[in-house]
Amino acid sequence: MTAVVDEKQKVPARQLLALREFRRLLYLRFSSQWADGLFQTGLAGAVIFNPERGADPLTIATGFTALLLPYSIVGPFAGALLDRWDRRRVLVVASLLRAGLILAATVGLLAGAPSGLLFLMSLMVLGVTRFMGSGLSAALPHVVPERNLVQANSIAVTLGSIVAVIGGGCAIVLRKVFGEDDYGSGITTSFAIIGTVLAVLFAVRFQRGKLGPDEVDEPAGTVLAVARGLVDGAKAAWRAPRVIAGFVALFAHRISQSIALLLAVLLMRYYFTDFGWLKAGLTGLGEIAAFAGIGIFIAGLVTPKLVDRFGRHAAIIGSLLLVAAAMAGLGLPMTLPTMLGAAFLMFGAGQVIKLCVDAVIQSDIGDESRGRVFSLYDTLFNVTQVVSIAVAAAVVPANGHSPGLIVATIVFYLLGAVGYVFASRRDHAPHVI
């Protein structure tokens, strides 16, 4: 992989924010993720917590599918294109396209469009959003030194996730102002256009070619390049044992997190009641997002220190075991306060795992293949989430009170820890391809 800067130019982690191009990429990510958080929360409120619409487990699962499936569809195409096209231009065009799609979704909400059509619109909006996310991840090594990737990921991904939570909070406030019916939901989601326009303004300030790719390892024909995207990404990942081990850990986390998210929505909608200053309903989901955001923020602060002190393997295994214990101690009681504690630990530890895996991909995968691997990464995990939610929706009670599914999340985390250990052994074994 081409070095980002000369060895003499490498900077301490505390000085990363002094790098102008890194700051600009952060601003682009923040504006995009704020819009993403606002749009997703606005859509959830419009369909799931809208007094004009009903929402059973199947409808909620369909809504999650609309939120998660887009990258499963565009992922195979995104990887090849991100490793073929100027990523700066991709980010500009994608942001403009997303603004237009959000406007169309807003019109649909204002017109009282059926839930199925709203889900279709959201599929298109979030498909573009996922495409941009892979582009931002693939571009990061072009603006920071390689040795600072863990710290840079901690800053970018962690703060970006918090900004998305803030966007979701803005949607909740806007729904209180404009109303919780279709009209109010439409006005709420329209504000996401502001974030997409800001993303365009930040993206155009990069020089052409600044965000890569430096080399194009693609066939001459675009159609063939797209067709090869997933296969090439899988081959590149398989040649990097640490990447495969990280995939195993993330698979376990995403499966369990998906089940927990479905339970949280149903519990907040149908089972929980207000508990002192803690509220149920959509506000309760906002509280879960806030606790999750705090966990993500703390994870961003401690992950580099954990990796430096204990190593990446210990950080990942410890995170998986910590969430298994949290789901047993805080998830199983299934009360509003303990669920908030479980969300804090699940999202915090999950962020530690994600930051470690992202840094491994960025350091172990060459720039000519990195976009395809990130696209494979997102595609596989979003398909996993969709399938997990669909299966859970088929067996969960209508009110979401299901201790059995909580136990299932614990089992998946434990299996993930064991699977990660076994997959990691390839890192020390003779490698033959």
Side-chain angles (χ1 to χ4, degrees), residues 48-410:
I48 299 173
F49 293 92
N50 188 338
E52 296 180 353
R53 301 171 186 264
D56 56 17
L58 180 58
T59 300
I60 293 174
T62 303
F64 272 116
T65 300
L67 296 177
L68 299 171
L69 191 60
Y71 216 98
S72 307
I73 299 172
V74 304
F77 301 88
L81 298 179
L82 287 170
D83 290 335
R84 182 181 182 85
W85 292 349
D86 178 11
R87 290 171 190 150
R88 168 191 173 274
R89 183 172 58 181
V90 167
L91 292 172
V92 171
V93 174
S95 296
L96 289 171
L97 177 60
R98 186 168 65 160
L101 291 171
I102 290 174
L103 179 60
T106 297
V107 172
L109 281 167
L110 292 174
S115 297
L117 181 58
L118 294 177
F119 288 148
L120 178 60
M121 292 178 177
S122 69
L123 279 170
M124 294 186 287
V125 173
L126 297 173
V128 177
T129 299
R130 299 300 185 189
F131 188 96
M132 291 181 62
S134 281
L136 290 167
S137 295
L140 185 63
H142 288 266
V143 297
V144 299
E146 183 176 337
R147 74 168 189 173
N148 293 102
L149 284 175
V150 172
Q151 293 87 348
N153 271 308
S154 296
I155 295 172
V157 178
T158 300
L159 293 183
S161 298
I162 292 173
V163 169
V165 171
I166 293 173
C170 290
I172 293 174
V173 172
L174 290 170
R175 278 172 55 82
K176 297 294 184 182
V177 173
F178 294 107
E180 300 182 352
D181 56 5
D182 287 338
Y183 176 82
S185 299
I187 298 297
T188 295
T189 56
S190 69
F191 279 80
I193 296 175
I194 297 173
T196 63
V197 172
L198 287 175
V200 173
L201 296 178
F202 289 124
V204 297
R205 298 187 65 186
F206 284 103
Q207 294 179 353
R208 292 184 180 181
K210 175 63 181 177
L211 303 180
D214 292 334
E215 301 177 8
V216 177
D217 179 24
E218 294 279 7
T222 302
V223 174
L224 180 58
V226 169
R228 273 181 35 179
L230 274 181
V231 174
D232 288 349
K235 289 179 179 178
W238 183 256
R239 289 192 292 267
R242 297 195 305 172
V243 172
I244 293 297
F247 277 16
V248 172
L250 273 176
F251 264 119
H253 171 64
R254 291 294 181 92
I255 291 172
S256 297
Q257 186 183 64
S258 301
I259 296 172
L261 282 173
L262 176 63
L263 292 178
V265 172
L266 289 170
L267 289 168
M268 285 295 181
R269 182 73 166 87
Y270 297 111
Y271 185 78
F272 289 150
T273 56
D274 294 350
F275 189 95
W277 60 272
L278 298 176
K279 305 298 181 183
L282 183 61
T283 303
L285 282 184
E287 292 165 354
I288 286 181
F291 274 77
I294 295 171
I296 288 170
F297 176 74
I298 294 175
L301 296 178
V302 305
T303 298
K305 297 177 182 178
L306 289 174
V307 173
D308 287 343
R309 180 162 184 177
F310 301 107
R312 187 176 287 108
H313 288 301
I316 291 175
I317 295 172
S319 296
L320 291 167
L321 296 179
L322 174 63
V323 189
M327 293 305 291
L330 298 174
L332 277 176
M334 301 188 80
T335 66
L336 181 51
T338 60
M339 287 293 283
L340 293 176
F344 168 79
L345 291 174
M346 172 177 281
F347 279 85
Q351 187 73 352
V352 173
I353 298 170
K354 176 174 171 48
L355 291 173
C356 290
V357 176
D358 282 358
V360 166
I361 294 173
Q362 289 163 339
S363 61
D364 289 12
I365 303 296
D367 188 53
E368 72 282 356
S369 301
R370 193 180 300 124
R372 280 167 285 182
V373 173
F374 269 112
S375 294
L376 174 70
Y377 171 130
D378 280 332
T379 299
L380 291 177
F381 295 141
N382 279 289
V383 169
T384 299
Q385 287 182 286
V386 169
V387 172
S388 301
I389 290 172
V391 172
V395 298
V396 67
N399 63 1
H401 191 270
S402 176
L405 285 176
I406 295 290
V407 172
T409 66
I410 299 170

